[in-house]
Amino acid sequence: RSDYSSNETITTIYIIDTATVTILQQIDEGYCGFDWSMDGSQIIFSKPFIFKLADGEIAWENARGLSIADINSAQASELIPRPGKNPLVSPNTSPDGEWVQFYEVIYIEGIGNFTTWEQASGTFYDFSGYGTASWSPDSSRIAFDDVTYVGFEGSGIFISSPDGSNLNKLYSDSASSASGPLWSPDGNLLAFMVTKPDDYDGGDLVLMTPEGELVKRTYLETTYLIAWSPIGRRLLYLNS
């Protein structure tokens, strides 16, 4: 929930009991993305910040790292400190809970620097130049595109280990833009969209194995947001 009634944006994360649709807990200052811990006892979230320019240079106000809060007490503390001067947003926890992928905001536009963080060692791994990401179900790999602002011809889909090693380009085409990889629940397929700059009406939904074997390619009208069903037998998508 965001409250824009004052000059300062006030944001709140609500935890709701789905059976009774009642609010169990609220955590103030949640902003720009959050995710559950794997045991469901905590949430990881980013806090609000303000973008300003000072003498032509970016000057963040209240730039912070990522926080973690207990869902019962709502007590919060910093989990991941900023590796630099910029705020951190959009945490994406690996299925085994050992890694967190997030973005370091560099400018007010675009998604920022793609980064992973290993909880055991506290080590940051910089994936600068890459965009939207999806964890494999066993957390051993992460798939991502290289679209950090808008799609462009030749943008592709990549797979690597969480620390950036074993990098492999899964798909690219010099005449189109590939983006938004999403790993299936069983880990056997990746779904992503391929669009051409001069086609404003739609694009191809592609299903491919992590080894690069094409399974299915279907043209769809303008499509946003795809999601696998829990057992991976169906795909849900939104088109406009």
Side-chain angles (χ1 to χ4, degrees):
R1 173 184 172 271
S2 295
D3 181 359
Y4 300 101
S5 59
S6 64
N7 291 331
E8 182 179 0
T9 301
I10 301 171
T11 57
T12 305
I13 297 171
Y14 289 96
I15 300 169
I16 297 174
D17 185 312
T18 56
T20 61
V21 197
T22 57
I23 296 173
L24 299 177
Q25 190 59 265
Q26 67 183 61
I27 298 170
D28 294 330
E29 289 199 299
Y31 181 79
C32 203
F34 49 86
D35 200 4
W36 289 96
S37 65
M38 289 303 101
D39 64 2
S41 66
Q42 298 171 304
I43 61 168
I44 303 168
F45 62 99
S46 57
K47 289 192 171 185
F49 57 88
I50 299 173
F51 170 80
K52 291 186 175 181
L53 285 175
D55 298 324
E57 299 291 328
I58 295 174
W60 301 111
E61 190 172 300
N62 294 329
R64 288 171 283 193
L66 294 173
S67 297
I68 190 166
D70 182 273
I71 67 168
N72 294 310
S73 67
Q75 292 297 310
S77 61
E78 185 177 68
L79 174 67
I80 305 177
R82 292 178 295 155
K85 65 179 182 179
N86 303 308
L88 309 183
V89 299
S90 304
N92 177 15
T93 310
S94 63
D96 64 4
E98 298 299 320
W99 294 83
V100 180
Q101 179 263 326
F102 58 87
Y103 300 95
E104 180 185 5
V105 179
I106 303 300
Y107 195 66
I108 199 63
E109 296 178 326
I111 62 176
N113 274 359
F114 178 128
T115 305
T116 60
W117 177 79
E118 185 180 28
Q119 183 164 286
S121 65
T123 305
F124 295 92
Y125 296 93
D126 185 0
F127 286 68
S128 296
Y130 294 109
T132 304
S134 175
W135 289 101
S136 65
D138 66 359
S139 304
S140 67
R141 292 179 289 179
I142 189 168
F144 45 90
D145 59 37
D146 55 352
V147 178
T148 60
Y149 186 39
V150 294
F152 58 92
E153 293 179 354
S155 62
I157 304 297
F158 303 81
I159 295 176
S160 80
S161 299
D163 62 2
S165 62
N166 304 310
L167 178 64
N168 177 50
K169 181 182 286 187
L170 182 72
Y171 176 91
S172 69
D173 176 4
S174 61
S176 60
S177 172
S179 62
L182 190 63
W183 224 299
S184 64
D186 61 9
N188 292 331
L189 293 173
L190 280 154
F192 55 91
M193 292 300 300
V194 175
T195 57
K196 293 185 177 181
D198 58 351
D199 185 353
Y200 300 102
D201 296 323
D204 291 339
L205 172 63
V206 177
L207 299 181
M208 186 170 282
T209 70
E211 293 71 40
E213 178 185 351
L214 178 64
V215 175
K216 184 79 173 178
R217 185 165 181 155
T218 304
Y219 185 84
L220 300 172
E221 293 182 356
T222 308
T223 298
Y224 309 90
L225 304 176
I226 54 177
W228 287 97
S229 64
I231 61 174
R233 301 277 302 269
R234 294 182 172 87
L235 272 169
L236 180 71
Y237 69 91
L238 171 70
N239 83 330
S240 173

